[in-house]
Amino acid sequence: MSTSSAPPSTDNESSDPDTFIAHHPPERRAVIERLRIVCLATLVSLIGLGVAWELWLAPLPQGTGMLALKVLPLCLGIAGLLKHRLYTYRWLTLLIWLYFTEGVVRATGDAGLSQILAGIEVALSVLLFTACSVYIRMRLRVLPPKAKKGEQKDAAA
């Protein structure tokens, strides 16, 4: 009974996250891993800011703190980022614009600490969008295509 290992799967549902980036050169793998860490840190910071903002730092007057639930969609992305799921990075780049918009509206309409927190939310949103976009671009960059058999014969002749 021979045990042959199957080639690593490149789909986004594989259980081993390293198979997603294994076909990239080592330098690019290092960049991809750093981008993943930046994305995770920014996402967790944005979640923490949203909860702290609505519950303790500058809650709305007579508010119940229910606006803190606005970070729940962001929480769904943590697992996907940890597992290198490209789909998660893609939908996160679309979702983040809602938080950017909220930050811009509250930065121009609120005053005091809430305005500062809104500016921080805008900065974190832009950073997360940029990091996810670069991550996606780096992941989709593949090795140069191999020459076809017919082209190899022409080159040898």
Side-chain angles (χ1 to χ4, degrees):
M1 176 189 240
S2 68
T3 58
S4 65
S5 62
S9 173
T10 57
D11 66 348
N12 287 341
E13 300 305 318
S14 175
S15 60
D16 184 17
D18 293 332
T19 60
F20 299 140
I21 62 174
H23 65 279
H24 292 286
E27 303 84 27
R28 192 176 309 148
R29 271 186 272 165
V31 171
I32 289 171
E33 190 58 38
R34 278 181 287 203
L35 284 168
R36 183 178 76 132
I37 291 169
V38 169
C39 290
L40 276 166
T42 308
L43 181 63
V44 170
S45 298
L46 198 55
I47 291 168
L49 174 70
V51 170
W53 182 358
E54 301 301 342
L55 294 181
W56 301 291
L57 297 176
L60 292 175
Q62 292 85 29
T64 60
M66 291 300 287
L67 272 179
L69 295 176
K70 70 183 179 186
V71 299
L72 284 179
L74 292 175
C75 294
L76 298 174
I78 293 174
L81 295 185
L82 287 171
K83 295 178 181 178
H84 285 282
R85 291 202 171 135
L86 197 55
Y87 183 77
T88 304
Y89 286 87
R90 287 176 171 169
W91 67 254
L92 199 54
T93 59
L94 298 174
L95 178 68
I96 199 62
W97 289 112
L98 296 174
Y99 298 90
F100 173 82
T101 305
E102 184 214 10
V104 169
V105 168
R106 291 183 78 171
T108 57
D110 291 355
L113 180 60
S114 185
Q115 190 175 29
I116 295 168
L117 295 173
I120 295 170
E121 182 178 38
V122 168
L124 287 173
S125 298
V126 169
L127 178 62
L128 183 59
F129 174 78
T130 305
C132 285
S133 297
V134 174
Y135 177 92
I136 292 166
R137 188 169 176 90
M138 295 297 286
R139 279 277 309 276
L140 292 178
R141 185 181 296 171
V142 294
L143 299 173
K146 294 180 181 178
K148 295 181 181 176
K149 291 182 181 180
E151 293 174 3
Q152 287 176 349
K153 290 179 184 176
D154 293 338

